[in-house]
């Protein structure tokens, strides 16, 4: 019996357990009752004559009337319900199924009910998106708000870089990462005081795009016993930092600390660094001999690392955004230190990039995703994207996509300055686990989402499978849960996309990252926004700075009052007045409450606790000790 030609990847390790489809040689005799093989080229080849093409059948059944609204968005005026006929669904599945044979990756958009009219209406916008993407890859200023190029695609294909200088920079950075990682793993580079005589741990200090990619990849690809085990400080939570350092214990002496910050000035990362350096001092260790910086040249972090003589420094480029930096040293160094094949990650991303350069929408997986997102959320984010990998190791993919998608698409203004408040919300964890958490609402509740299933065909490495009952394995249950959930949601008009890979490997993870980076870029073109800046984040950082500045004034006022004999407790009004900030009295109350909870301010006896009546003073301290 022949194997299933398309579904089972070309990779030698995947031998079909038991072929379940008869492979037919001639397609002309196919009726929709016959089995179908997956030919090596696009399924939509018209020679696959299984009755009228699926999408025209969809046209008859779901007569969506799409029309342009005044703002140019293509909106669905009427929806007659999704196509439920099994035969026409099969046709739609086969007709729209995207297959990347070399990657063993499939994209099924058949359970998204877009119509032919919609696809035809979107064609010009998609072609414009393809042209914009082509210019971007050639080095255009695709991030106009910051006047920057957008070059993350060059990281996995340096010859695409617009000039030889950038090409050499990329190649040199990759070589430096590989060389350093090899020398650390081999023990040639080792910590000065470690009993093991080699580095055994990585402590990554970074946040946002300087953490989410490395966290996703570590969870997805790190071997059970990596040469160095990675942990992350990705916040300015003192208890969280203490927990990571406590877990390291004496292994702090064999820990390589990688501090990652493109800007080199992110407060949370800086605080994490200062806290870790304090731990090193208290342990009698020399941080510089175990510290590595990944940051833009001449950033505050880069200069600190250089002046203090840290072990190594690796570059980040201004034309790589934090949320698209996984294929730079940000992601490659931590991965390589865990013995993850980074060249395979790059290869997978490069193959997916190449596939996404076609201007034939049906053959462009990133364009198909963007088209589905637009259809499902009306081009305005009217529905959330629920990401459900049915594979534990892909647990953090949705968190990774939250930044990639939402920080790229969640923008107040479009490229013409119109206020659009665009976006596409992402959430999810993993299946089938999430079926026992919120699938109830997805199946029956508010219809404000569409689902993206990530299917991994290979359950266990070859030879490790086990039937927990005759003919059934654990993985069969996982497979069944995914398919069952997809069917149950669809039966109740809930749309879904399914991305299928053969197994979780550096190559397939690299391809998934590249797929979504490109889909976000194409979708951004469809809704006319800049996907590559993040003005809203700066606003939050500025506001945080203002709170800290107010805290400093509160502390100074309290300190002055507390240095009098007798000590003079102050009411909130008095504190606000002396800070010349009566309008900030609520924030002043919150600052004092936080200080009091941490024994840094004292609430006078008799204050009944109501914000209006508390009296506060400082404990034993003076302005010099006041940290803010
Ligand atoms: O890498 P850094 O410069 O420290 O920035 C870390 C993060 O900071 C901000 O939140 C940006 O919006 C993110 O895109 C970035 O990944």
């Amino acid at each position: 019996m022949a194997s299933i030609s398309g579904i089972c990847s070309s990779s030698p390790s995947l031998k079909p357990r038991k072929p379940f489809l008869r492979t037919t040689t001639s397609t002309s005799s196919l009726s929709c009752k016959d089995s179908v093989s997956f030919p090596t080229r696009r399924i939509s080849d018209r020679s696959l004559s299984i009755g009228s093409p699926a999408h025209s059948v969809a046209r008859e059944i779901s007569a969506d009337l799409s029309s342009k609204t005044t703002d140019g968005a293509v909106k669905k005026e009427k929806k007659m319900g999704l196509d439920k006929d099994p035969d026409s669904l099969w046709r739609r599945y086969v007709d729209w199924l995207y297959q990347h044979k070399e990657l063993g990756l499939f994209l099924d958009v058949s359970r998204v009910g877009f119509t032919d009219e919609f696809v035809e209406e979107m064609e010009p916008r998609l072609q414009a998106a393809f042209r914009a993407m082509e210019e971007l890859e050639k080095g255009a200023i695709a991030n106009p708000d910051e006047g920057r190029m957008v070059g993350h695609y060059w990281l996995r294909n340096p010859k695409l870089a617009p000039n030889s200088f950038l090409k050499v920079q990329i190649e040199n950075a990759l070589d430096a990462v590989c060389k350093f990682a090899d020398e650390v793993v081999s023990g040639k580079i080792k910590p000065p005081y470690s009993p093991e005589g080699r580095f055994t741990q990585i402590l990554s200090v970074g946040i946002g795009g300087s953490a989410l990619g490395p966290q996703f990849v570590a969870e997805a690809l790190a071997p059970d016993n990596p040469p160095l085990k990675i942990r992350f400080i990705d916040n300015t939570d003192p208890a969280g930092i203490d927990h990571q350092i406590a877990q390291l214990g004496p292994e702090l002496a064999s820990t390589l600390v990688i501090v990652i910050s493109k800007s080199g000035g992110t407060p949370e990362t800086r605080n994490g660094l200062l806290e870790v350096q304090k731990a090193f001092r208290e342990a009698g260790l020399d941080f510089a001999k175990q510290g590595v910086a990944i940051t833009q040249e001449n950033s505050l972090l880069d200069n600190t690392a250089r002046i203090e003589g840290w072990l190594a420094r690796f570059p980040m480029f201004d034309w790589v955004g934090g949320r698209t930096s996984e294929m730079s040293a940000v992601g490659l160094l931590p991965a390589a230190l865990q013995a993850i094949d980074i060249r395979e990650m790059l290869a997978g991303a490069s193959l997916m990039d190449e596939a996404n350069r076609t201007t034939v929408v049906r053959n462009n997986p990133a364009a198909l995703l963007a088209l589905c997102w637009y259809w499902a959320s009306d081009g305005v984010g009217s529905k959330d994207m629920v990401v459900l990998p049915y594979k534990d190791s892909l647990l953090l993919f949705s968190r990774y996509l939250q930044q990639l998608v939402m920080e790229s698409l969640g923008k107040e203004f479009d490229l013409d300055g119109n206020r659009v408040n665009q976006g596409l919300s992402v959430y999810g964890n993993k299946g089938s686990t999430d079926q026992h958490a919120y699938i109830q609402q997805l199946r029956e509740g508010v219809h404000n989402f569409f689902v993206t299933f990530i299917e991994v065909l290979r359950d266990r490495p070859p030879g490790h499978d086990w039937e927990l009952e005759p003919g059934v394995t654990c993985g069969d249950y996982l497979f069944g849960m995914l398919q069952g959930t997809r069917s149950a949601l669809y039966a109740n008009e809930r749309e879904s996309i399914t991305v299928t890979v053969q197994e979780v490997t550096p190559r397939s993870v690299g391809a998934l990252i590249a797929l979504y980076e490109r889909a976000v870029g194409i979708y951004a073109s469809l809704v006319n926004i800049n996907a590559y800046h993040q003005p809203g984040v700066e606003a939050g950082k500025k506001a945080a700075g203002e709170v800290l500045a107010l805290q400093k004034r509160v502390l100074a006022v309290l300190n002055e009052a507390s240095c009098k004999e007798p000590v003079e407790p102050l009411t909130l009004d008095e504190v606000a007045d002396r800070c010349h900030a009566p309008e900030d009295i609520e924030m002043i109350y919150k600052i004092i409450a936080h200080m009091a909870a941490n024994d840094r301010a004292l609430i006078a006896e008799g204050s009944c606790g109501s914000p209006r009546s508390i009296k506060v003073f400082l404990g034993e301290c003076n302005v010099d000790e006041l940290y803010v």
Side-chain angles (χ1 to χ4, degrees), residues 92 132 135 211 246 266 327 331 344 346 428 430 470 517 577 609 619 622:
R92 186 175 176 84
E135 291 308 306
T266 302
M327 300 293 165
E344 270 293 286
L346 292 165
K430 63 178 178 173
E517 286 175 342
D577 288 344
N622 59 51

Side-chain angles (χ1 to χ4, degrees), residues 323-571:
R323 52 189 176 273
T324 54
S325 63
E326 180 55 27
M327 300 293 165
S328 75
V330 170
L332 298 180
L333 178 62
L337 289 165
Q338 300 170 78
I340 294 168
D341 187 337
I342 62 175
R343 292 194 186 276
E344 270 293 286
M345 241 167 68
L346 292 165
S350 181
L351 281 168
M352 179 52 73
D353 289 343
E354 187 50 37
N356 286 323
R357 291 191 181 103
T358 176
T359 59
V360 177
V361 172
R362 289 169 155 273
N363 295 346
N364 186 317
L368 287 173
L369 277 183
L371 186 78
C372 288
W373 298 353
Y374 196 106
W375 167 269
S377 69
D378 302 311
V380 296
S382 60
K383 286 199 173 71
D384 299 345
M385 183 196 302
V386 182
V387 176
L388 276 177
Y390 274 64
K391 188 53 75 178
D392 284 0
S393 60
L394 296 180
L395 168 67
L396 298 182
F397 191 44
S398 62
R399 276 185 64 190
Y400 175 75
L401 289 181
Q402 276 183 330
Q403 185 197 24
L404 176 61
V405 173
M406 297 176 75
E407 192 167 74
S408 299
L409 302 179
K411 300 292 163 64
E412 184 173 14
F413 298 102
D414 69 10
L415 288 168
D416 300 327
N418 304 309
R419 183 186 300 279
V420 294
N421 297 114
Q422 263 293 357
L424 187 54
S425 298
V426 177
Y427 66 90
N429 302 293
K430 63 178 178 173
S432 67
T433 310
D434 286 10
Q435 292 177 211
H436 302 266
Y438 57 82
I439 296 294
Q440 165 60 37
Q441 174 172 309
L442 298 193
R443 175 78 172 76
E444 297 181 359
V446 57
H447 187 187
N448 61 353
F449 66 92
F450 62 98
V451 175
T452 298
F453 293 104
I454 310 289
E455 178 184 33
V456 179
L457 291 179
R458 167 66 66 183
D459 298 326
R460 272 185 168 126
H464 287 69
D465 229 341
W466 172 69
E467 294 185 351
L468 41 73
E469 56 192 81
V472 179
T473 68
C474 232
D476 293 337
Y477 273 89
L478 188 63
F479 167 80
M481 297 290 189
L482 188 164
Q483 299 304 333
T485 300
R486 172 177 175 271
S487 302
L489 290 174
Y490 189 79
N492 202 16
E493 304 295 309
R494 271 77 174 147
E495 294 171 304
S496 68
I497 297 163
T498 302
V499 180
T500 300
V501 295
Q502 302 302 314
E503 51 185 315
V504 179
T505 63
R507 180 171 285 227
S508 63
V509 167
L512 283 172
I513 289 171
L515 172 61
Y516 277 86
E517 286 175 342
R518 184 86 56 160
V520 165
I522 291 174
Y523 186 84
S525 291
L526 296 182
V527 297
N528 189 34
I529 58 160
N530 176 358
Y532 307 108
H533 69 331
Q534 48 283 328
V537 176
E538 306 316 316
K541 285 182 183 176
K542 181 172 175 295
E546 287 162 4
V547 171
L548 290 174
L550 179 58
Q551 175 175 303
K552 188 180 287 191
R553 289 177 9 224
V554 168
L555 281 168
V557 162
L558 289 178
N559 186 60
E560 185 189 358
S562 300
C563 293
K564 289 181 178 171
E565 286 299 335
V567 167
E568 179 197 2
L570 299 177
T571 66

